[in-house]
Amino acid sequence: MKAKPIILLLFLTINTVFSQEIIKTDSIVTIKKEYLKFDYKALIIPSALMAYGIIGIESDGLKGLNANIQEEVTEDIDDKFTIDDFSQYAPALAVYSLNLFGIEGKNNFKDRSIILGTSYFLMGTWVSVMKKTTHIQRPDKSGFNSFPSGHTATAFASAEFLWQEYKDVSLWYGISGYLVATGTGFFRIYNNKHWLTDVAMGAGIGIISTKIAYWVFPLIDKHIFKTKENKTTAMVAPFYNGKQLGAGILLNIN
Protein backbone atom coordinates (compact mmCIF):
# COMPACT_ATOMS: atom_id res chain seq x y z
CA MET A 1 0.00 0.00 0.00
CA LYS A 2 1.29 3.48 -0.89
CA ALA A 3 2.20 5.86 1.85
CA LYS A 4 -0.45 8.57 2.18
CA PRO A 5 0.30 11.96 3.70
CA ILE A 6 -2.16 13.19 6.28
CA ILE A 7 -2.18 16.87 7.28
CA LEU A 8 -3.11 17.75 10.81
CA LEU A 9 -3.34 21.28 12.21
CA LEU A 10 -2.84 21.56 15.93
CA PHE A 11 -3.84 24.82 17.59
CA LEU A 12 -1.69 25.44 20.60
CA THR A 13 -1.90 28.23 23.16
CA ILE A 14 1.39 27.46 24.92
CA ASN A 15 3.31 24.48 23.52
CA THR A 16 2.97 21.08 21.87
CA VAL A 17 3.51 17.88 23.85
CA PHE A 18 4.45 14.65 22.12
CA SER A 19 3.85 11.37 23.96
CA GLN A 20 6.33 9.38 21.85
CA GLU A 21 10.08 9.76 21.41
CA ILE A 22 10.85 12.21 18.58
CA ILE A 23 14.15 12.37 16.70
CA LYS A 24 14.79 15.68 14.94
CA THR A 25 16.44 16.11 11.56
CA ASP A 26 16.18 19.80 10.60
CA SER A 27 12.43 20.37 10.16
CA ILE A 28 11.65 16.64 9.74
CA VAL A 29 11.02 14.46 12.77
CA THR A 30 10.72 10.67 12.88
CA ILE A 31 8.51 9.06 15.52
CA LYS A 32 9.85 5.75 16.83
CA LYS A 33 8.52 3.09 19.18
CA GLU A 34 10.81 2.64 22.19
CA TYR A 35 11.67 -0.88 23.40
CA LEU A 36 13.29 -2.05 26.61
CA LYS A 37 16.81 -3.29 25.87
CA PHE A 38 18.46 -6.27 27.58
CA ASP A 39 20.54 -5.37 30.62
CA TYR A 40 22.28 -8.15 32.55
CA LYS A 41 22.34 -5.98 35.68
CA ALA A 42 18.56 -6.25 35.82
CA LEU A 43 18.97 -9.98 36.51
CA ILE A 44 20.97 -9.56 39.74
CA ILE A 45 18.09 -9.14 42.21
CA PRO A 46 15.73 -11.80 40.80
CA SER A 47 18.64 -14.23 40.40
CA ALA A 48 19.64 -13.69 44.04
CA LEU A 49 16.08 -14.35 45.20
CA MET A 50 15.87 -17.51 43.12
CA ALA A 51 19.28 -18.70 44.34
CA TYR A 52 18.10 -18.26 47.94
CA GLY A 53 15.01 -20.32 47.21
CA ILE A 54 16.90 -23.13 45.46
CA ILE A 55 19.60 -23.32 48.13
CA GLY A 56 16.87 -23.45 50.76
CA ILE A 57 15.59 -26.76 49.37
CA GLU A 58 18.65 -28.60 50.71
CA SER A 59 20.17 -26.18 53.24
CA ASP A 60 19.58 -27.23 56.85
CA GLY A 61 20.14 -23.66 58.01
CA LEU A 62 17.49 -22.20 55.72
CA LYS A 63 15.14 -25.08 56.48
CA GLY A 64 15.55 -24.24 60.15
CA LEU A 65 14.73 -20.60 59.46
CA ASN A 66 11.63 -21.71 57.56
CA ALA A 67 10.57 -23.85 60.49
CA ASN A 68 11.13 -21.05 63.03
CA ILE A 69 9.01 -18.63 61.02
CA GLN A 70 6.28 -21.23 60.57
CA GLU A 71 6.28 -21.95 64.32
CA GLU A 72 5.86 -18.25 65.10
CA VAL A 73 3.00 -18.04 62.62
CA THR A 74 1.08 -21.00 64.03
CA GLU A 75 1.64 -20.01 67.67
CA ASP A 76 0.98 -16.27 67.61
CA ILE A 77 -1.41 -15.75 64.73
CA ASP A 78 -4.93 -17.14 64.77
CA ASP A 79 -6.86 -15.17 62.14
CA LYS A 80 -6.21 -15.79 58.46
CA PHE A 81 -6.68 -13.25 55.69
CA THR A 82 -7.36 -14.00 52.03
CA ILE A 83 -6.29 -10.57 50.78
CA ASP A 84 -3.37 -12.23 48.97
CA ASP A 85 -5.85 -13.90 46.59
CA PHE A 86 -6.65 -10.43 45.26
CA SER A 87 -3.51 -8.39 45.93
CA GLN A 88 -1.46 -10.56 43.57
CA TYR A 89 -3.24 -8.92 40.64
CA ALA A 90 -3.47 -5.38 42.04
CA PRO A 91 -0.30 -3.89 40.44
CA ALA A 92 -1.29 -5.12 36.96
CA LEU A 93 -4.83 -3.82 37.37
CA ALA A 94 -3.37 -0.49 38.46
CA VAL A 95 -1.70 -0.11 35.05
CA TYR A 96 -5.03 -0.34 33.24
CA SER A 97 -6.77 1.84 35.84
CA LEU A 98 -4.18 4.60 35.50
CA ASN A 99 -4.59 4.54 31.73
CA LEU A 100 -8.35 4.66 32.16
CA PHE A 101 -7.96 7.87 34.19
CA GLY A 102 -5.76 9.42 31.51
CA ILE A 103 -2.32 8.79 33.02
CA GLU A 104 -0.47 7.22 30.10
CA GLY A 105 2.26 4.65 30.60
CA LYS A 106 5.02 3.43 28.30
CA ASN A 107 2.89 1.28 25.98
CA ASN A 108 -0.57 1.37 24.44
CA PHE A 109 -3.33 -1.07 25.40
CA LYS A 110 -2.43 -3.70 22.81
CA ASP A 111 1.31 -3.70 23.45
CA ARG A 112 1.11 -3.79 27.23
CA SER A 113 -1.49 -6.57 27.08
CA ILE A 114 0.84 -8.66 24.91
CA ILE A 115 3.67 -8.04 27.35
CA LEU A 116 1.58 -8.93 30.40
CA GLY A 117 0.22 -12.04 28.72
CA THR A 118 3.75 -13.16 27.83
CA SER A 119 4.92 -12.54 31.38
CA TYR A 120 2.06 -14.52 32.92
CA PHE A 121 2.60 -17.37 30.47
CA LEU A 122 6.32 -17.62 31.29
CA MET A 123 5.73 -17.25 35.01
CA GLY A 124 2.83 -19.71 35.14
CA THR A 125 4.72 -22.37 33.18
CA TRP A 126 7.83 -21.95 35.32
CA VAL A 127 5.88 -22.16 38.59
CA SER A 128 3.84 -25.21 37.49
CA VAL A 129 6.89 -27.18 36.40
CA MET A 130 8.79 -26.45 39.61
CA LYS A 131 5.82 -27.33 41.83
CA LYS A 132 5.54 -30.72 40.16
CA THR A 133 9.26 -31.48 40.14
CA THR A 134 10.16 -30.35 43.69
CA HIS A 135 7.07 -31.81 45.40
CA ILE A 136 7.61 -29.88 48.67
CA GLN A 137 4.95 -30.02 51.36
CA ARG A 138 3.17 -26.83 52.42
CA PRO A 139 3.58 -25.63 56.03
CA ASP A 140 -0.09 -26.37 56.77
CA LYS A 141 0.32 -29.84 55.21
CA SER A 142 -2.49 -29.14 52.72
CA GLY A 143 -0.48 -30.35 49.71
CA PHE A 144 2.91 -31.06 48.16
CA ASN A 145 3.00 -28.07 45.83
CA SER A 146 4.57 -25.47 48.11
CA PHE A 147 7.65 -24.50 46.07
CA PRO A 148 7.54 -21.88 44.64
CA SER A 149 4.72 -19.54 45.69
CA GLY A 150 2.46 -18.93 42.70
CA HIS A 151 0.66 -16.01 44.37
CA THR A 152 3.98 -14.29 45.05
CA ALA A 153 5.21 -14.95 41.51
CA THR A 154 2.06 -13.39 40.08
CA ALA A 155 2.32 -10.40 42.44
CA PHE A 156 5.94 -9.64 41.54
CA ALA A 157 5.34 -10.16 37.82
CA SER A 158 2.55 -7.60 38.14
CA ALA A 159 4.73 -5.25 40.20
CA GLU A 160 7.52 -5.30 37.63
CA PHE A 161 4.90 -4.65 34.92
CA LEU A 162 3.69 -1.56 36.81
CA TRP A 163 7.29 -0.45 37.36
CA GLN A 164 8.23 -0.70 33.69
CA GLU A 165 5.09 1.08 32.50
CA TYR A 166 5.17 3.97 34.97
CA LYS A 167 8.66 4.44 36.38
CA ASP A 168 9.24 7.31 33.94
CA VAL A 169 6.02 8.98 35.06
CA SER A 170 6.65 8.61 38.80
CA LEU A 171 8.84 6.22 40.77
CA TRP A 172 6.11 6.02 43.40
CA TYR A 173 3.84 4.06 41.08
CA GLY A 174 6.48 1.35 40.72
CA ILE A 175 7.41 1.42 44.41
CA SER A 176 3.78 1.03 45.46
CA GLY A 177 3.48 -2.01 43.19
CA TYR A 178 6.46 -3.67 44.84
CA LEU A 179 5.09 -2.86 48.31
CA VAL A 180 1.85 -4.64 47.40
CA ALA A 181 3.81 -7.61 46.00
CA THR A 182 5.91 -7.83 49.16
CA GLY A 183 2.72 -7.74 51.22
CA THR A 184 1.33 -10.59 49.13
CA GLY A 185 4.39 -12.69 49.88
CA PHE A 186 4.10 -11.85 53.58
CA PHE A 187 0.48 -12.96 53.68
CA ARG A 188 1.35 -16.28 52.02
CA ILE A 189 3.61 -16.95 55.02
CA TYR A 190 1.13 -15.38 57.44
CA ASN A 191 -1.63 -17.70 56.21
CA ASN A 192 0.73 -20.68 56.68
CA LYS A 193 0.60 -21.58 52.98
CA HIS A 194 4.27 -21.11 52.12
CA TRP A 195 7.79 -21.15 53.49
CA LEU A 196 10.05 -18.12 53.19
CA THR A 197 12.09 -19.90 50.50
CA ASP A 198 8.90 -20.48 48.48
CA VAL A 199 8.15 -16.77 48.57
CA ALA A 200 11.71 -15.76 47.63
CA MET A 201 11.69 -18.11 44.65
CA GLY A 202 8.27 -16.88 43.54
CA ALA A 203 9.39 -13.26 43.73
CA GLY A 204 12.44 -13.96 41.59
CA ILE A 205 10.44 -15.85 38.98
CA GLY A 206 7.83 -13.10 38.79
CA ILE A 207 10.34 -10.29 38.28
CA ILE A 208 12.43 -12.09 35.70
CA SER A 209 9.37 -13.28 33.75
CA THR A 210 8.19 -9.73 33.18
CA LYS A 211 11.68 -8.51 32.30
CA ILE A 212 11.98 -11.28 29.69
CA ALA A 213 8.51 -10.37 28.37
CA TYR A 214 9.66 -6.80 27.70
CA TRP A 215 12.92 -7.95 26.10
CA VAL A 216 11.27 -10.39 23.69
CA PHE A 217 8.26 -8.18 22.93
CA PRO A 218 9.76 -6.68 19.72
CA LEU A 219 10.18 -10.19 18.27
CA ILE A 220 6.68 -11.27 19.32
CA ASP A 221 5.18 -8.06 17.97
CA LYS A 222 6.96 -8.40 14.64
CA HIS A 223 6.74 -12.13 13.93
CA ILE A 224 3.54 -13.22 15.69
CA PHE A 225 1.35 -10.12 15.51
CA LYS A 226 2.92 -9.03 12.21
CA THR A 227 3.34 -5.43 13.29
CA LYS A 228 5.53 -3.50 10.89
CA GLU A 229 8.22 -1.16 12.09
CA ASN A 230 6.83 2.30 12.72
CA LYS A 231 8.23 4.50 9.97
CA THR A 232 5.91 7.44 10.50
CA THR A 233 7.55 10.78 9.69
CA ALA A 234 6.34 14.26 10.49
CA MET A 235 7.14 17.77 9.30
CA VAL A 236 6.38 20.59 11.72
CA ALA A 237 5.60 24.14 10.49
CA PRO A 238 4.69 26.80 13.07
CA PHE A 239 2.05 29.44 12.26
CA TYR A 240 0.50 32.56 13.79
CA ASN A 241 -2.72 34.15 12.51
CA GLY A 242 -2.68 37.20 14.74
CA LYS A 243 -4.75 35.57 17.47
CA GLN A 244 -3.65 31.97 17.77
CA LEU A 245 -0.21 30.40 17.95
CA GLY A 246 0.01 26.88 16.59
CA ALA A 247 1.75 24.39 14.36
CA GLY A 248 0.93 22.45 11.22
CA ILE A 249 2.08 18.84 11.19
CA LEU A 250 2.47 16.75 8.04
CA LEU A 251 2.31 13.04 8.94
CA ASN A 252 3.53 10.48 6.40
CA ILE A 253 2.10 7.12 7.52
CA ASN A 254 3.27 3.89 5.87
Side-chain angles (χ1 to χ4, degrees), residues 64-85:
L65 179 60
N66 280 341
N68 289 337
I69 294 174
Q70 190 262 351
E71 184 178 351
E72 290 294 326
V73 167
T74 55
E75 284 185 358
D76 301 331
I77 300 176
D78 296 324
D79 297 329
K80 305 299 179 184
F81 296 92
T82 58
I83 189 173
D84 43 316
D85 289 335

Side-chain angles (χ1 to χ4, degrees), residues 34 106 163-171:
E34 184 180 346
K106 181 181 295 183
W163 170 262
Q164 293 296 340
E165 288 296 312
Y166 281 97
K167 64 180 179 180
D168 295 330
V169 177
S170 173
L171 291 177

Side-chain angles (χ1 to χ4, degrees), residues 193-208:
K193 287 295 183 181
H194 284 287
W195 310 101
L196 177 61
T197 45
D198 302 340
V199 168
M201 187 67 184
I205 289 175
I207 295 170
I208 204 169

Side-chain angles (χ1 to χ4, degrees), residues 17-232:
V17 178
F18 294 94
S19 60
Q20 292 175 296
E21 179 188 0
I22 297 179
I23 300 176
K24 294 185 178 180
T25 307
D26 296 329
S27 60
I28 300 291
V29 293
T30 302
I31 302 173
K32 294 178 64 180
K33 184 181 288 187
E34 184 180 346
Y35 297 117
L36 184 67
K37 295 182 179 179
F38 174 78
D39 181 5
Y40 73 92
K41 293 179 182 178
L43 299 174
I44 294 175
I45 293 177
S47 297
L49 289 168
M50 292 168 65
Y52 178 87
I54 292 172
I55 293 171
I57 295 177
E58 298 295 335
S59 170
D60 292 335
L62 294 183
K63 284 182 179 179
L65 179 60
N66 280 341
N68 289 337
I69 294 174
Q70 190 262 351
E71 184 178 351
E72 290 294 326
V73 167
T74 55
E75 284 185 358
D76 301 331
I77 300 176
D78 296 324
D79 297 329
K80 305 299 179 184
F81 296 92
T82 58
I83 189 173
D84 43 316
D85 289 335
F86 307 100
S87 63
Q88 60 180 319
Y89 302 109
L93 292 175
V95 172
Y96 291 92
S97 298
L98 288 167
N99 273 267
L100 187 63
F101 284 103
I103 306 174
E104 295 184 359
K106 181 181 295 183
N107 293 288
N108 60 34
F109 180 86
K110 173 199 160 190
D111 291 351
R112 66 175 176 267
S113 297
I114 294 171
I115 291 168
L116 183 61
T118 303
S119 171
Y120 277 7
F121 173 78
L122 294 172
M123 177 270 298
T125 302
W126 202 338
V127 167
S128 297
V129 170
M130 293 205 72
K131 281 181 178 291
K132 291 179 180 179
T133 55
T134 56
H135 204 62
I136 294 175
Q137 190 175 34
R138 291 182 182 270
D140 64 355
K141 304 187 187 316
S142 61
F144 287 86
N145 59 345
S146 188
F147 186 87
S149 168
H151 282 65
T152 308
T154 302
F156 276 86
S158 299
E160 179 65 17
F161 177 57
L162 177 58
W163 170 262
Q164 293 296 340
E165 288 296 312
Y166 281 97
K167 64 180 179 180
D168 295 330
V169 177
S170 173
L171 291 177
W172 289 108
Y173 289 128
I175 291 172
S176 64
Y178 269 101
L179 288 175
V180 171
T182 301
T184 301
F186 168 78
F187 276 107
R188 295 310 287 165
I189 298 173
Y190 182 98
N191 289 328
N192 205 25
K193 287 295 183 181
H194 284 287
W195 310 101
L196 177 61
T197 45
D198 302 340
V199 168
M201 187 67 184
I205 289 175
I207 295 170
I208 204 169
S209 294
T210 298
K211 287 187 182 296
I212 292 173
Y214 274 94
W215 291 333
V216 303
F217 171 68
L219 295 176
I220 293 175
D221 195 35
K222 181 179 179 180
H223 297 291
I224 296 179
F225 291 90
K226 307 298 183 183
T227 300
K228 294 181 179 180
E229 183 182 355
N230 189 346
K231 295 182 180 179
T232 300

